[in-house]
mmCIF file of all heavy atoms in Angstrom:
data_model
loop_
_atom_site.group_PDB
_atom_site.id
_atom_site.type_symbol
_atom_site.label_atom_id
_atom_site.label_comp_id
_atom_site.label_asym_id
_atom_site.label_seq_id
_atom_site.Cartn_x
_atom_site.Cartn_y
_atom_site.Cartn_z
ATOM 1 N N PHE A 358 -8.774 -0.906 8.013
ATOM 2 C CA PHE A 358 -8.451 -0.576 6.616
ATOM 3 C C PHE A 358 -8.612 0.856 6.354
ATOM 4 O O PHE A 358 -7.731 1.551 5.826
ATOM 5 C CB PHE A 358 -9.299 -1.353 5.707
ATOM 6 C CG PHE A 358 -9.157 -1.002 4.248
ATOM 7 C CD1 PHE A 358 -8.066 -1.525 3.550
ATOM 8 C CD2 PHE A 358 -10.056 -0.125 3.649
ATOM 9 C CE1 PHE A 358 -7.862 -1.183 2.225
ATOM 10 C CE2 PHE A 358 -9.866 0.221 2.309
ATOM 11 C CZ PHE A 358 -8.793 -0.270 1.568
ATOM 12 N N ARG A 359 -9.715 1.486 6.868
ATOM 13 C CA ARG A 359 -9.928 2.867 6.612
ATOM 14 C C ARG A 359 -8.908 3.761 7.214
ATOM 15 O O ARG A 359 -8.423 4.720 6.571
ATOM 16 C CB ARG A 359 -11.382 3.199 7.143
ATOM 17 C CG ARG A 359 -11.721 4.739 7.009
ATOM 18 C CD ARG A 359 -13.192 5.011 7.429
ATOM 19 N NE ARG A 359 -13.507 4.424 8.645
ATOM 20 C CZ ARG A 359 -13.314 5.097 9.831
ATOM 21 N NH1 ARG A 359 -12.717 6.299 9.792
ATOM 22 N NH2 ARG A 359 -13.708 4.537 10.981
ATOM 23 N N LEU A 360 -8.516 3.412 8.449
ATOM 24 C CA LEU A 360 -7.507 4.285 9.128
ATOM 25 C C LEU A 360 -6.105 4.078 8.616
ATOM 26 O O LEU A 360 -5.267 4.948 8.681
ATOM 27 C CB LEU A 360 -7.550 3.952 10.654
ATOM 28 C CG LEU A 360 -8.807 4.412 11.334
ATOM 29 C CD1 LEU A 360 -8.744 4.056 12.811
ATOM 30 C CD2 LEU A 360 -8.966 5.895 11.220
ATOM 31 N N ASN A 361 -5.883 2.915 7.882
ATOM 32 C CA ASN A 361 -4.613 2.734 7.229
ATOM 33 C C ASN A 361 -4.449 3.667 6.021
ATOM 34 O O ASN A 361 -3.473 3.832 5.404
ATOM 35 C CB ASN A 361 -4.387 1.327 6.800
ATOM 36 C CG ASN A 361 -3.517 0.552 7.800
ATOM 37 O OD1 ASN A 361 -2.292 0.498 7.727
ATOM 38 N ND2 ASN A 361 -4.105 -0.098 8.868
ATOM 39 N N GLN A 362 -5.682 4.163 5.511
ATOM 40 C CA GLN A 362 -5.693 5.074 4.458
ATOM 41 C C GLN A 362 -5.649 6.553 4.785
ATOM 42 O O GLN A 362 -5.452 7.444 3.999
ATOM 43 C CB GLN A 362 -6.998 4.865 3.571
ATOM 44 C CG GLN A 362 -7.449 3.474 3.319
ATOM 45 C CD GLN A 362 -6.418 2.712 2.406
ATOM 46 O OE1 GLN A 362 -5.975 3.200 1.393
ATOM 47 N NE2 GLN A 362 -6.004 1.579 2.838
ATOM 48 N N ASP A 363 -5.893 6.771 6.106
ATOM 49 C CA ASP A 363 -5.950 8.197 6.606
ATOM 50 C C ASP A 363 -4.487 8.645 6.817
ATOM 51 O O ASP A 363 -3.771 8.186 7.716
ATOM 52 C CB ASP A 363 -6.707 8.108 7.931
ATOM 53 C CG ASP A 363 -6.984 9.529 8.452
ATOM 54 O OD1 ASP A 363 -6.045 10.320 8.590
ATOM 55 O OD2 ASP A 363 -8.189 9.777 8.859
ATOM 56 N N GLU A 364 -4.120 9.682 6.103
ATOM 57 C CA GLU A 364 -2.767 10.200 6.150
ATOM 58 C C GLU A 364 -2.379 10.775 7.581
ATOM 59 O O GLU A 364 -1.269 10.546 7.996
ATOM 60 C CB GLU A 364 -2.577 11.316 5.125
ATOM 61 C CG GLU A 364 -2.474 10.729 3.737
ATOM 62 C CD GLU A 364 -1.304 9.730 3.576
ATOM 63 O OE1 GLU A 364 -0.290 9.931 4.215
ATOM 64 O OE2 GLU A 364 -1.579 8.746 2.907
ATOM 65 N N LYS A 365 -3.380 11.423 8.276
ATOM 66 C CA LYS A 365 -3.030 11.894 9.623
ATOM 67 C C LYS A 365 -2.675 10.734 10.526
ATOM 68 O O LYS A 365 -1.733 10.752 11.281
ATOM 69 C CB LYS A 365 -4.236 12.730 10.153
ATOM 70 C CG LYS A 365 -4.343 14.045 9.472
ATOM 71 C CD LYS A 365 -5.510 14.872 10.088
ATOM 72 C CE LYS A 365 -5.619 16.243 9.461
ATOM 73 N NZ LYS A 365 -6.700 17.052 10.041
ATOM 74 N N VAL A 366 -3.512 9.681 10.474
ATOM 75 C CA VAL A 366 -3.346 8.534 11.343
ATOM 76 C C VAL A 366 -2.008 7.826 11.007
ATOM 77 O O VAL A 366 -1.207 7.417 11.845
ATOM 78 C CB VAL A 366 -4.524 7.593 11.316
ATOM 79 C CG1 VAL A 366 -4.206 6.265 12.058
ATOM 80 C CG2 VAL A 366 -5.831 8.260 11.827
ATOM 81 N N ARG A 367 -1.799 7.711 9.674
ATOM 82 C CA ARG A 367 -0.577 7.115 9.206
ATOM 83 C C ARG A 367 0.715 7.824 9.714
ATOM 84 O O ARG A 367 1.690 7.167 10.113
ATOM 85 C CB ARG A 367 -0.534 6.949 7.642
ATOM 86 C CG ARG A 367 -1.547 5.946 7.072
ATOM 87 C CD ARG A 367 -1.503 5.975 5.613
ATOM 88 N NE ARG A 367 -0.187 5.617 5.032
ATOM 89 C CZ ARG A 367 0.183 4.397 4.929
ATOM 90 N NH1 ARG A 367 -0.484 3.325 5.244
ATOM 91 N NH2 ARG A 367 1.469 4.161 4.409
ATOM 92 N N CYS A 368 0.647 9.075 9.651
ATOM 93 C CA CYS A 368 1.754 9.906 10.129
ATOM 94 C C CYS A 368 2.012 9.681 11.723
ATOM 95 O O CYS A 368 3.187 9.573 12.094
ATOM 96 C CB CYS A 368 1.546 11.409 9.889
ATOM 97 S SG CYS A 368 1.721 11.904 8.142
ATOM 98 N N LEU A 369 0.890 9.618 12.366
ATOM 99 C CA LEU A 369 1.108 9.354 13.844
ATOM 100 C C LEU A 369 1.654 7.978 14.062
ATOM 101 O O LEU A 369 2.495 7.753 14.951
ATOM 102 C CB LEU A 369 -0.311 9.401 14.593
ATOM 103 C CG LEU A 369 -0.954 10.783 14.758
ATOM 104 C CD1 LEU A 369 -2.353 10.705 15.199
ATOM 105 C CD2 LEU A 369 -0.064 11.659 15.586
ATOM 106 N N CYS A 370 1.166 6.987 13.325
ATOM 107 C CA CYS A 370 1.750 5.637 13.481
ATOM 108 C C CYS A 370 3.204 5.522 13.088
ATOM 109 O O CYS A 370 4.007 4.882 13.753
ATOM 110 C CB CYS A 370 0.887 4.632 12.631
ATOM 111 S SG CYS A 370 -0.812 4.379 13.164
ATOM 112 N N GLN A 371 3.559 6.230 12.030
ATOM 113 C CA GLN A 371 4.886 6.232 11.603
ATOM 114 C C GLN A 371 5.820 6.866 12.567
ATOM 115 O O GLN A 371 6.927 6.406 12.908
ATOM 116 C CB GLN A 371 4.984 6.950 10.247
ATOM 117 C CG GLN A 371 6.468 6.932 9.598
ATOM 118 C CD GLN A 371 6.491 7.620 8.267
ATOM 119 O OE1 GLN A 371 5.541 8.289 7.940
ATOM 120 N NE2 GLN A 371 7.544 7.440 7.506
ATOM 121 N N ALA A 372 5.348 8.039 13.131
ATOM 122 C CA ALA A 372 6.113 8.769 14.099
ATOM 123 C C ALA A 372 6.277 7.870 15.349
ATOM 124 O O ALA A 372 7.338 7.890 16.035
ATOM 125 C CB ALA A 372 5.385 10.045 14.542
ATOM 126 N N ARG A 373 5.319 7.117 15.776
ATOM 127 C CA ARG A 373 5.325 6.196 16.879
ATOM 128 C C ARG A 373 6.392 5.168 16.640
ATOM 129 O O ARG A 373 7.245 4.801 17.562
ATOM 130 C CB ARG A 373 3.998 5.611 17.138
ATOM 131 C CG ARG A 373 3.908 4.856 18.484
ATOM 132 C CD ARG A 373 4.164 5.730 19.682
ATOM 133 N NE ARG A 373 3.898 5.047 20.931
ATOM 134 C CZ ARG A 373 4.204 5.563 22.062
ATOM 135 N NH1 ARG A 373 4.634 6.753 22.177
ATOM 136 N NH2 ARG A 373 3.984 4.828 23.227
ATOM 137 N N GLU A 374 6.384 4.516 15.481
ATOM 138 C CA GLU A 374 7.382 3.517 15.127
ATOM 139 C C GLU A 374 8.765 4.086 15.109
ATOM 140 O O GLU A 374 9.717 3.383 15.601
ATOM 141 C CB GLU A 374 7.059 2.891 13.785
ATOM 142 C CG GLU A 374 5.843 1.972 13.775
ATOM 143 C CD GLU A 374 5.666 1.201 12.534
ATOM 144 O OE1 GLU A 374 6.325 1.568 11.501
ATOM 145 O OE2 GLU A 374 4.846 0.295 12.490
ATOM 146 N N GLU A 375 8.900 5.243 14.612
ATOM 147 C CA GLU A 375 10.225 5.860 14.610
ATOM 148 C C GLU A 375 10.679 6.174 16.008
ATOM 149 O O GLU A 375 11.905 5.964 16.291
ATOM 150 C CB GLU A 375 10.154 7.216 13.787
ATOM 151 C CG GLU A 375 11.469 7.937 13.714
ATOM 152 C CD GLU A 375 12.622 7.197 13.012
ATOM 153 O OE1 GLU A 375 12.234 6.234 12.215
ATOM 154 O OE2 GLU A 375 13.798 7.491 13.186
#
Side-chain angles (χ1 to χ4, degrees):
F358 175 80
R359 176 171 54 83
L360 292 178
N361 263 271
Q362 316 296 311
D363 187 310
E364 284 305 318
K365 289 183 178 179
V366 175
R367 287 176 62 82
C368 285
L369 287 173
C370 291
Q371 185 178 15
R373 189 63 175 175
E374 286 189 348
E375 180 63 20

